[in-house]
Amino acid sequence: MRAGGALALVVLAVTACGRPTGDFGRAEPSFLHDTLLPTAGNLVAEHVRKEPVSGFPLTDDEIELRNRVWAFVRAPHVRDWWLDSLVEGERTRILPILKGGASISAETAAMFPEIALPLLEPAYDRGRYHRYLLSDGRTSTETLWTRVIDDAGSDTALIPPFCQVAARVRRADVERLGALRRQRLVEARLHEGAEARVWENEEAISWVWQALGYRAASYRYAIDHFQVEAPSDQLFAANRAYDTLVFSKCVGAPPIRTAIPSGPHRHSRLLNAPDPFDEPVPQK
């Protein structure tokens, strides 16, 4: 495990940057980030962390899902080279999806040399956004409030189109697993590939809700602190923008856990957890 973590840190040190972007923050094609790093990440995920890895081609909807996931997890309003590198490591599966909070999980910590742990722990810090807004001392305090409102509103606007494609992916996964059951296919490769792809899709969907939870916590932290540091009549609008974000819901997707067929099992914990659809954004 530690060897895999050391490899991940080496790869991150070599790339030392996030995914390249073009106009409007869209991802630019890159052989390194689109081919080499995902290939290396799949090897680390499968052989070091023992996670499911599917060899199936990505469907058009699965590609769109991953592109929309990236829009949530890259946190463009607080970009820095190390955070970008961590997120890119997660996206390409070189790193596991890191959890926020006061400390990293014991499972993740076991992967890495002890000297590397301080670099991973502050990856998600709810106060980072607040510090970023205050980093330019010349900015009007009313502008700070407007920025929080606009950022929360922009995140909220991204949720419905993400949910639409996620629902299509969910329906396709139900059909994929149902086809295995109906046709009584016994090839282990098909069972393992199908269940691994469902696992991967569920992880991608869950990652968005985790990222939204971190963003919501960042907005809440900024609003609460600005109430003391820079009181404003925009407080009501900021709270409304925050509430609209955290109570956004996804609808129209069947619960994937009811469609798992019999056969080789290596299920994600998400398949047995409460479905993230139809639930408020988790608050950290």
Side-chain angles (χ1 to χ4, degrees), residues 13 22 34-35 51 58 60 70 86 95 104 111 120 126 136 138 165 167 214 222 236 241 277-278:
D34 296 336
T35 303
E51 293 176 354
L58 291 170
D60 289 349
W70 190 66
L86 289 179
L95 290 175
I104 62 177
M111 287 185 56
L120 298 174
R126 65 176 184 163
D136 184 353
R138 298 170 297 178
V165 68
Y214 295 146
F236 175 80
F277 280 74
D278 297 322

Side-chain angles (χ1 to χ4, degrees), residues 129-253:
Y129 176 67
H130 173 255
R131 293 193 298 273
Y132 168 77
L133 293 180
L134 292 176
S135 61
D136 184 353
R138 298 170 297 178
T139 303
S140 161
T141 57
E142 291 302 312
T143 300
L144 298 178
W145 282 97
T146 300
R147 179 65 183 273
V148 174
I149 295 167
D150 289 347
D151 285 345
S154 295
D155 287 346
T156 301
L158 291 174
I159 293 176
F162 163 76
C163 290
Q164 290 170 9
V165 68
R168 293 199 301 270
V169 168
R170 279 279 187 82
R171 288 193 291 269
D173 280 342
V174 170
E175 173 57 29
R176 168 183 281 136
L177 297 175
L180 281 176
R181 179 181 295 165
R182 291 192 304 272
Q183 298 179 30
R184 299 183 180 180
L185 298 172
V186 296
E187 297 170 62
R189 180 191 66 84
L190 285 178
H191 280 269
E192 292 173 359
E195 294 192 15
R197 176 51 47 81
V198 172
W199 189 95
E200 291 169 344
N201 290 339
E202 289 296 292
E203 285 286 281
I205 293 170
S206 178
W207 195 15
V208 166
W209 290 97
Q210 175 180 293
L212 280 171
Y214 295 146
R215 289 200 184 193
S218 297
Y219 298 142
R220 185 72 267 159
Y221 183 97
I223 292 169
D224 290 345
H225 282 68
F226 285 158
Q227 287 185 63
V228 178
E229 297 165 340
S232 170
D233 291 340
Q234 296 191 74
L235 173 61
F236 175 80
N239 280 327
R240 183 171 59 184
Y242 170 82
D243 288 342
T244 301
L245 173 64
V246 300
F247 290 108
S248 296
K249 294 183 178 181
C250 274
V251 295

